[in-house]
Amino acid sequence: MFSGSYRQGDVAILLKPRVEITQVDVATKEALIQSGAKHYSEMISPESLPSSQYLDLFHQSWQRNGDRMASDLLLLAALIAENKQGPITLVSLARAGTPVGVILKRLISGVFNRETYHYSVSIIRDRGIDDVAMDHILSQGHQDQSIVFIDGWTGKGVITRELKDSIALYNFSRGKRIDKSLWVLADLAGVAAQSATQEDYLIPSSILNATVSGLISRSILDEKIGTEDFHGCLYYREFESADVSLPFADDLTERAINSLGENKGARLDRIKTAAKTCVDGNATLKRNDLVEQVMRDVMHEYAVSDINHIKPGIGEATRVLLRREPGFLLIAEGEINQDVQHMVVLAEEKGIPVKTRADLGPYQAIAIIKNLKKDMNNA
């Protein structure tokens, strides 16, 4: 069973490791995506290890925000345990959801004493979830009602909608009744079914790529993926010496358990009570309206013609800086805080302009992907 660099009991990663994929540089990939010649899932760019300065910022964020992330993981675990009866089958969305799912699996089984399984599957914008992976999960005897989809955060809600649409089609085609909801640590967009918070804070695992996600790449869906294959990925064995996937998961699990203290029962009762009142429907609707307004304002103010070129929130903006062709980075006006400092460093290393805006709504940062068509027309 493929588990990346995690322990076998932590997760079954339902991706097909590949070795023959031709990798393209970021600029070429971006040009092919924006020209419509290829979908982003058909290509992948080489990953590299971060600079020592950037890696220091990761470790600082881990130490600074580790307790908060652990607390949010414990609350999310309680939410799942309170809302689901019987065995629980976590299905994390690779790869940002993978480390979250690993820790949740440990907490739900170890703290809440529930029978828990964890799979990580591919979902791709405009292509949907990996049906072959979902078929495999159900073939293992897991019931429809046991499945809980997991991710790290929402940005503007694109993947949440993709999940709902593709699971609706899957249910229809297979005669199933799988819950289409997404459960996340931070629901910035106000679209998740359940979340521990709606605040845009720096989730440490969002800073790195493969080396905090089991050494797997993002998922790949090209012409070499057969109809019976899982979506593909690369396994970065060459990065093993720099891998923090297991130490990170072990540390966050330990922090979450230690936060219960000696009076574990009373602390768990408080967490369960918080879980029952966690979601405020009116607040979620207001958040969704606010996000849509911010997207409209940013598109108008910065002449962005494609909403897919706007990547809001610390997690999404960081990923643009790491693997796309950003035009510029937007951060909130004022002193640069510790949660966005790593993005400023990345922008400086890559020569990407950093701009400030008085109001970013619920976000601390927004990355704008460069419009290559516009640049060519202005050349």
Side-chain angles (χ1 to χ4, degrees), residues 143-154:
Q143 300 302 307
D144 298 14
Q145 64 269 22
S146 74
I147 292 176
V148 183
F149 292 104
I150 299 295
D151 209 351
W153 57 85
T154 62

Side-chain angles (χ1 to χ4, degrees), residues 81-82 98 102 105 146 163-164 172 182 187 190 197 201 238 241 243 259 261 281 314-315 328 334 337 354 361 375:
E82 285 293 302
T98 309
V102 166
K105 195 256 186 183
S146 74
L163 177 67
K164 289 179 178 179
F172 179 78
L182 182 64
D187 182 22
T197 184
Y201 76 98
E238 65 271 27
S241 63
D243 186 29
S259 73
I314 292 171
F328 58 93
N337 68 43
V354 178
D375 288 351

Side-chain angles (χ1 to χ4, degrees), residues 4 7 15 40 42 66 74 95 119 140 148 183 219 237 275 292 342 378:
R7 299 184 186 97
L15 293 170
Y40 77 89
E42 299 176 78
L74 194 57
R95 67 186 165 176
Y119 299 89
Q140 303 306 298
V148 183
W183 302 56
S219 54
R237 193 176 304 277
E292 290 181 1
H342 70 284
N378 292 336

Side-chain angles (χ1 to χ4, degrees), residues 11-290:
V11 60
I13 299 175
L14 303 185
L15 293 170
K16 180 182 179 180
R18 302 265 298 275
V19 294
E20 79 285 6
I21 296 171
T22 300
Q23 301 185 58
V24 298
D25 63 79
V26 173
T28 300
K29 179 181 71 177
E30 195 66 54
L32 290 169
I33 292 171
Q34 293 194 30
S35 70
K38 282 186 176 292
H39 189 266
Y40 77 89
S41 64
E42 299 176 78
M43 305 170 288
I44 195 163
S45 298
E47 282 195 21
S48 58
L49 294 178
S51 67
S52 58
Q53 181 184 11
Y54 186 81
L55 195 57
D56 285 344
L57 290 172
F58 164 72
H59 284 285
Q60 290 169 24
S61 74
W62 180 355
Q63 294 309 311
R64 188 177 68 252
N65 287 355
D67 285 343
R68 178 173 184 178
M69 183 177 175
S71 177
D72 284 345
L73 284 160
L74 194 57
L75 177 55
L76 190 58
L79 279 163
I80 295 169
E82 285 293 302
N83 283 274
K84 291 289 182 178
Q85 303 300 315
I88 294 169
T89 307
L90 301 176
V91 179
S92 62
L93 305 183
R95 67 186 165 176
T98 309
V100 174
V102 166
I103 301 165
L104 284 174
K105 195 256 186 183
R106 296 178 182 182
L107 295 177
I108 295 170
S109 60
V111 175
F112 297 96
N113 300 312
R114 299 289 295 278
E115 183 181 351
T116 312
Y117 304 87
H118 176 211
Y119 299 89
S120 197
V121 308
S122 166
I123 188 169
I124 295 171
R125 193 190 75 229
D126 305 324
R127 299 291 189 269
I129 202 160
D130 185 347
D131 286 350
V132 176
M134 294 304 301
D135 288 343
H136 175 83
I137 291 170
L138 293 175
S139 75
Q140 303 306 298
H142 305 297
Q143 300 302 307
D144 298 14
Q145 64 269 22
S146 74
I147 292 176
V148 183
F149 292 104
I150 299 295
D151 209 351
W153 57 85
T154 62
K156 56 180 183 286
V158 172
I159 290 299
T160 311
R161 289 188 289 273
E162 190 72 50
L163 177 67
K164 289 179 178 179
D165 291 345
S166 58
I167 293 300
L169 288 172
Y170 182 88
N171 283 342
F172 179 78
S173 66
R174 268 66 166 185
K176 300 297 180 181
R177 300 183 65 181
I178 297 170
D179 186 353
K180 304 183 290 292
S181 302
L182 182 64
W183 302 56
V184 298
L185 282 182
D187 182 22
L188 313 185
V191 294
Q194 299 276 8
S195 67
T197 184
Q198 286 191 327
E199 292 185 30
D200 186 18
Y201 76 98
L202 176 52
I203 295 171
S205 55
S206 72
I207 285 189
L208 297 181
N209 280 327
T211 53
V212 78
S213 305
L215 292 182
I216 60 170
S217 72
R218 67 158 173 81
S219 54
I220 301 160
L221 183 57
D222 60 15
E223 71 282 354
K224 293 185 178 180
I225 299 293
T227 57
E228 301 301 318
D229 290 335
F230 297 142
H231 293 182
C233 74
L234 294 175
Y235 181 71
Y236 294 106
R237 193 176 304 277
E238 65 271 27
F239 293 161
E240 284 180 348
S241 63
D243 186 29
V244 296
S245 302
L246 260 183
F248 183 78
D250 290 346
D251 179 66
L252 269 289
T253 304
E254 183 179 5
R255 287 177 189 242
I257 293 172
N258 288 344
S259 73
L260 295 172
E262 295 182 2
N263 195 352
K264 178 180 175 180
R267 172 69 173 143
L268 280 176
D269 286 342
R270 289 195 295 272
I271 292 170
K272 290 177 181 177
T273 299
K276 290 176 181 177
T277 59
C278 190
V279 175
D280 182 334
N282 289 330
T284 297
L285 288 173
K286 289 179 181 177
R287 171 58 62 92
N288 197 237
D289 289 342
L290 175 60

Side-chain angles (χ1 to χ4, degrees), residues 301-321:
E301 184 173 344
Y302 298 99
V304 181
S305 58
D306 186 346
I307 196 170
N308 289 323
H309 289 179
I310 301 176
K311 302 295 183 180
I314 292 171
E316 292 302 300
T318 299
R319 274 157 163 64
V320 169
L321 294 171

